[in-house]
Amino acid sequence: SMSSAGIAQRAAVIAILSLAAATATPDAQADTRLQPAQHARVALIADHTALRPGQAFMAGLRTTHDEGWHTYWMNSGDSGLATRYTWTLPAGAQAGDIRWPFPERLPFGPLTNFGYSGALLLPAEISVPREAKPGERFRASLRARWLICADTCIPDEATLALDLPIADDAETSADAPLFRETLARVPTPLRAPNGHSWRDATHVATQIDGADFAKDAARIEVFPLTPQVVASSAIEARLGADGALRFRHPASDAFDRMPPRVDWVIGVQRRDGSFNAFQISLPGDDARAP
């Protein structure tokens, strides 16, 4: 039997845990639209409640992963599989690709994967046909397929519906701020930077000159968007006194030859607490190519 001190201590721990659960993601916890999936809860949400003919809006899968479970980024790292969308839309409507927010590194035994845990939104832009008429409804469905992993991996999917009125005036939804926050973490393409990636005997090195985008960085995180070039472990990136950003990282075990271009995603956590992510495409040189 437990002592009274032990019981009090355990009660305190339970109280702290339930408080932590309540404060973790109040919006996600209370979101009644989320439906159960394998080790996650999912919903299809949009940034509008009413749509205007000819406008574009954002919609996407909202996922809250169970503790310890994760899904994958477009480059999944050492294993895994990116989430995929298949839209069924009204005639004349179009859907863009998933806008992938900046990922995290997920250790998985000896492997390192790239993806997401906790609460996630994967937005895509959808265009409403110009011919749509106020009074009609915009009905769409999304078949989302994903792989969710902890110490095992489970493929899962959901087909979810969106049904919004077409009106004279568009109306944003209560989810619009969540879309804005997510899109702020989606890497913006950097135009024609002066830099390149090349291979030496064991590593792939990168230099980006005039890397003003990395100024005032408290932390710089780099992910390879091009798969099988570098190892998936954390990359050490440094901004030199000359304004160039440099990183050199072991080549991937699956490395065959340097591709003509290598795409990188770079996250800059600034000293003022703000965060920006960038996508950069660099020419690839292979010093060991015949």
Side-chain angles (χ1 to χ4, degrees):
S1 69
M2 288 181 80
S3 68
S4 58
I7 291 166
Q9 188 180 9
R10 196 162 126 187
V13 166
I14 290 166
I16 289 164
L17 287 175
S18 58
L19 184 67
T23 53
T25 46
D27 58 330
Q29 296 288 341
D31 196 334
T32 53
R33 298 167 300 176
L34 288 163
Q35 58 185 57
Q38 308 241 35
H39 303 287
R41 293 163 76 222
V42 297
L44 173 56
I45 65 171
D47 67 352
H48 279 70
T49 52
L51 305 169
R52 209 168 23 75
Q55 83 164 96
F57 71 100
M58 305 298 294
L61 190 71
R62 169 92 159 125
T63 304
T64 58
H65 302 82
D66 286 0
E67 186 70 35
W69 291 80
H70 60 264
T71 55
Y72 293 97
W73 187 47
M74 56 196 304
N75 173 12
S76 60
D78 290 334
S79 66
L81 196 64
T83 297
R84 287 163 294 162
Y85 281 1
T86 308
W87 293 97
T88 304
L89 300 170
Q94 285 182 310
D97 294 336
I98 293 173
R99 303 267 186 95
W100 298 91
F102 196 75
E104 54 184 306
R105 279 185 169 81
L106 300 156
F108 190 57
L111 308 176
T112 301
N113 293 335
F114 304 148
Y116 308 99
S117 57
L120 171 67
L121 172 60
L122 292 180
E125 187 176 77
I126 298 180
S127 62
V128 180
R130 290 189 199 289
E131 309 78 65
K133 302 272 186 295
E136 294 176 352
R137 302 202 61 92
F138 185 94
R139 292 191 176 91
S141 76
L142 170 64
R143 182 186 178 204
R145 287 171 286 173
W146 63 89
L147 187 68
I148 189 162
C149 300
D151 49 356
T152 59
C153 289
I154 303 168
D156 204 1
E157 67 171 80
T159 299
L160 303 160
L162 199 61
D163 184 351
L164 298 171
I166 306 288
D168 290 315
D169 296 309
E171 282 175 35
T172 56
S173 72
D175 292 310
L178 180 61
F179 278 89
R180 280 198 298 276
E181 284 164 32
T182 301
L183 290 166
R185 295 187 63 82
V186 173
T188 51
L190 281 173
R191 301 268 166 255
N194 190 11
H196 67 141
S197 293
W198 68 95
R199 176 169 71 143
D200 59 27
T202 53
H203 287 59
V204 172
T206 297
Q207 178 170 327
I208 303 161
D209 299 315
D212 292 348
F213 65 87
K215 273 187 180 158
D216 305 319
R219 204 175 80 215
I220 299 169
E221 272 192 275
V222 180
F223 285 83
L225 193 51
T226 308
Q228 301 187 338
V229 172
V230 291
S232 300
S233 50
I235 292 172
E236 291 281 319
R238 291 203 170 75
L239 191 61
D242 60 355
L245 182 69
R246 295 178 178 86
F247 47 94
R248 182 173 177 268
H249 199 63
S252 162
D253 288 345
F255 190 103
D256 176 28
R257 62 174 63 87
M258 201 72 182
R261 296 199 76 80
V262 186
D263 294 349
W264 305 94
V265 160
I266 301 169
V268 181
Q269 186 72 55
R270 299 190 200 278
R271 292 192 185 94
D272 66 5
S274 63
F275 176 84
N276 301 101
F278 303 93
Q279 186 172 325
I280 197 160
S281 182
L282 300 173
D285 308 317
D286 199 333
R288 296 180 57 198

